[in-house]
Amino acid sequence: MGKKEMLGERGPTRYYRIAYAVIIGMIMGLFWAYLRPNGLMGSSVSSTRGFERMPVGGSVKKLDGAILNLEAKVAMLERELGRLEKENAKLIKIKIRNDVLQQERNAAMKQLEALSPSGKVGPVGTVKSVRTQQKVQPDESVNPNLAALLKKIAINEELIVSISNNNVRDMLQIWFESIQRVGVTNYLVVALDDEIASFCNEHNVPVYRRDATISKSQAGTGSNHAISGLKFHLLREFLVLGYSVLLSDVDIVFLQNPFNHLHRDCDVESMSDGFNNITAYGYDDVSEDPTMGWSRFAHTMRIWVFNSGLFYIRPTVPSIELLDRVTARLSKEKAWDQAVFNEELFNPSHPGYEGLHASRRVLDFYLFMNSKVLFKHLRKEANFAEYKPVTIHVNYHPDKLERMRAIVDHYVKGNTNALRHFPDGSER
């Protein structure tokens, strides 16, 4: 009974204390709410916002956002650049096509004027003869397989063609890589053996496998000259099929698109072995014979030969006749193909011989350059430091592969010292 009384006395006091604690807690809560209307979360958010406003953290987040925006803009510009490059490539093809059509139109107009009924001669300077011959009618029955291949490769019915065997594999690779680098797709390698055909296929290079037999008369002229002799025979089929060809040896480096620099106003356009204006384009050379007295001086016309390693030939009757003449002579004579090519192209009609009636043009020797011009003259001229030719033919020097690599290093990779250690000529 005593314990119960003691507990009973403590019970009400305990309840009162709990009540007091609840009331005090409520009062404190109201007071806290008055002081902190946003509560603890508001304080946390405020502190977080304050942290976000700290200089370092703010700079990092702003920088991340700027980088993301910049990357997005770069990606957009790259897509736009790719689109513009494709459109530019199309426009270049259209421009070349328009140029070719304009040249053909002008030639057709001249032919029409020549075939029209004769009339009175116009004023001085207005009389012009026909220079561009009419193209032959294509005959696909000559080689249906080649005709089908050329339809896929050629652009505007023209292409670059080179004839090669496995002996010049390394030079051939520099050759087709330089063509690919300048954006030309209409080119073809005529492979004379299986090895070079496989090599071209491995590098996605358009190739046409063709067996060809070197004539007995050319057997002792060396492999390079023997192949050069074959090209006139092989080239004939391209012309008969109606295609214009830029025939190229493999010791040539392409630095610009050559189709942008052709005139197409003659049967044959060729690079020259000349090294200045007079040797490349012709000059009056005076010969002296003192025994003739008063008439001791005789005037001659001279021109350095056309280089048969790079020439553009149109599918015309005179062009095909030229190839037939050269092929016929090389099958019988032990002669240099380039000499025969020039003799048939330039020799006039005379007793016992009827000359070829073909129009011809010398290409700009600074654009379609030979290696004498480059190594003996151009590389030493400060004014030509930034100059870039269309093609460079390493025809004057025997160390062809080394000089081709140096040309690529100089003009493509920007190594200004690449050409300096070579001698002017072929001496070691």
Side-chain angles (χ1 to χ4, degrees), residues 208 261 265 332 370 409:
Y208 174 66
H261 301 275
D265 61 345
K332 303 173 184 177
N370 60 60
D409 287 342

Side-chain angles (χ1 to χ4, degrees), residues 103-176:
Q103 291 166 352
E104 292 181 350
R105 176 184 177 277
N106 293 338
M109 292 296 294
K110 290 179 181 178
Q111 290 169 359
L112 180 61
E113 292 175 4
L115 295 174
S116 299
S118 58
K120 294 182 179 180
V121 176
V124 175
T126 63
V127 179
K128 299 293 182 182
S129 61
V130 177
R131 290 173 176 82
T132 307
Q133 301 290 332
Q134 186 177 5
K135 288 183 177 181
V136 298
Q137 184 177 353
D139 183 5
E140 295 187 2
S141 65
V142 173
N143 191 330
N145 293 332
L146 180 59
L149 178 62
L150 294 181
K151 286 181 180 179
K152 299 177 182 178
I153 297 174
I155 298 175
N156 300 328
E157 297 179 340
E158 60 184 8
L159 73 160
I160 302 172
V161 175
S162 185
I163 300 168
S164 176
N165 61 18
N166 201 45
N167 294 333
V168 291
R169 176 194 292 247
D170 293 335
M171 286 194 292
L172 177 66
Q173 183 168 1
I174 296 176
W175 179 85
F176 66 67

Side-chain angles (χ1 to χ4, degrees), residues 32-293:
W32 181 264
Y34 177 78
L35 295 177
R36 302 281 186 177
N38 294 325
L40 293 174
M41 292 300 294
S43 176
S44 176
V45 171
S46 299
S47 63
T48 303
R49 289 175 179 171
F51 176 75
E52 289 178 354
R53 289 194 297 270
M54 291 176 65
V56 176
S59 299
V60 171
K61 291 196 173 184
K62 288 180 180 178
L63 182 60
D64 290 342
I67 291 174
L68 290 174
N69 290 335
L70 183 59
E71 290 178 347
K73 289 180 179 179
V74 169
M76 181 182 69
L77 290 174
E78 287 178 347
R79 290 193 297 270
E80 182 67 12
L81 180 61
R83 184 184 68 81
L84 291 175
E85 286 178 348
K86 290 181 180 178
E87 289 186 359
N88 186 54
K90 292 180 181 178
L91 289 174
I92 290 174
K93 291 182 180 179
I94 292 173
K95 181 182 181 302
I96 295 175
R97 180 58 179 166
N98 286 340
D99 291 344
V100 173
L101 290 175
Q102 184 63 37
Q103 291 166 352
E104 292 181 350
R105 176 184 177 277
N106 293 338
M109 292 296 294
K110 290 179 181 178
Q111 290 169 359
L112 180 61
E113 292 175 4
L115 295 174
S116 299
S118 58
K120 294 182 179 180
V121 176
V124 175
T126 63
V127 179
K128 299 293 182 182
S129 61
V130 177
R131 290 173 176 82
T132 307
Q133 301 290 332
Q134 186 177 5
K135 288 183 177 181
V136 298
Q137 184 177 353
D139 183 5
E140 295 187 2
S141 65
V142 173
N143 191 330
N145 293 332
L146 180 59
L149 178 62
L150 294 181
K151 286 181 180 179
K152 299 177 182 178
I153 297 174
I155 298 175
N156 300 328
E157 297 179 340
E158 60 184 8
L159 73 160
I160 302 172
V161 175
S162 185
I163 300 168
S164 176
N165 61 18
N166 201 45
N167 294 333
V168 291
R169 176 194 292 247
D170 293 335
M171 286 194 292
L172 177 66
Q173 183 168 1
I174 296 176
W175 179 85
F176 66 67
E177 286 178 349
S178 71
I179 290 177
Q180 294 168 349
R181 193 180 299 114
V182 299
V184 173
T185 58
N186 49 328
Y187 69 100
L188 179 69
V189 174
V190 177
L192 300 181
D193 52 47
D194 293 332
E195 291 81 4
I196 208 67
S198 299
F199 179 71
C200 290
N201 287 326
E202 291 170 3
H203 290 80
N204 297 319
V205 172
V207 61
Y208 174 66
R209 176 71 173 90
R210 177 63 188 266
D211 289 319
T213 303
I214 298 174
S215 64
K216 293 181 180 180
S217 61
Q218 296 296 308
T221 59
S223 60
N224 289 339
H225 287 298
I227 292 175
S228 296
L230 282 173
K231 65 189 176 189
F232 298 97
H233 169 65
L234 299 177
L235 188 57
R236 187 185 199 274
E237 291 183 357
F238 290 83
L239 269 60
V240 174
L241 292 173
Y243 292 88
S244 299
V245 173
L246 179 61
L247 195 283
S248 170
D249 284 353
V250 297
D251 56 344
I252 293 176
V253 178
F254 288 76
L255 300 172
Q256 296 186 55
N257 187 336
F259 294 111
N260 295 340
H261 301 275
L262 297 173
H263 296 265
R264 302 176 180 86
D265 61 345
C266 294
D267 297 308
V268 179
E269 297 179 54
S270 176
M271 69 166 287
S272 171
D273 275 358
F275 52 89
N276 53 27
N277 285 342
I278 61 173
T279 57
Y281 307 141
Y283 64 102
D284 178 18
D285 185 34
V286 181
S287 174
E288 181 181 5
D289 183 1
T291 63
M292 292 298 295

Side-chain angles (χ1 to χ4, degrees), residues 264-385:
R264 302 176 180 86
D265 61 345
C266 294
D267 297 308
V268 179
E269 297 179 54
S270 176
M271 69 166 287
S272 171
D273 275 358
F275 52 89
N276 53 27
N277 285 342
I278 61 173
T279 57
Y281 307 141
Y283 64 102
D284 178 18
D285 185 34
V286 181
S287 174
E288 181 181 5
D289 183 1
T291 63
M292 292 298 295
W294 173 80
S295 59
R296 64 189 298 172
F297 297 108
H299 292 259
T300 68
M301 287 302 300
R302 295 190 64 185
I303 183 174
W304 260 230
V305 296
F306 279 13
N307 190 291
S308 62
L310 185 70
F311 62 90
Y312 180 81
I313 187 166
R314 298 176 63 253
T316 64
V317 170
S319 297
I320 296 174
E321 184 182 0
L322 170 65
L323 299 181
D324 289 346
R325 288 187 176 207
V326 175
T327 301
R329 284 189 55 184
L330 291 177
S331 66
K332 303 173 184 177
E333 304 174 18
K334 194 169 188 177
W336 184 22
D337 67 283
Q338 181 164 287
V340 175
F341 175 71
N342 278 271
E343 289 170 1
E344 293 299 329
L345 195 55
F346 285 97
N347 282 350
S349 299
H350 56 264
Y353 176 80
E354 183 179 351
L356 181 70
H357 302 285
S359 58
R360 51 202 179 271
R361 169 182 283 273
V362 183
L363 292 170
D364 188 329
F365 72 92
Y366 275 127
L367 293 178
F368 297 87
M369 188 178 296
N370 60 60
S371 57
K372 179 176 181 178
V373 174
L374 175 64
F375 286 99
K376 190 170 182 179
H377 303 286
L378 194 84
R379 64 171 173 168
K380 303 173 184 178
E381 297 290 338
N383 294 335
F384 284 89

Side-chain angles (χ1 to χ4, degrees), residues 23-37:
I23 292 171
I24 292 170
M26 291 176 65
I27 293 172
M28 292 180 66
L30 291 172
F31 183 74
W32 181 264
Y34 177 78
L35 295 177
R36 302 281 186 177

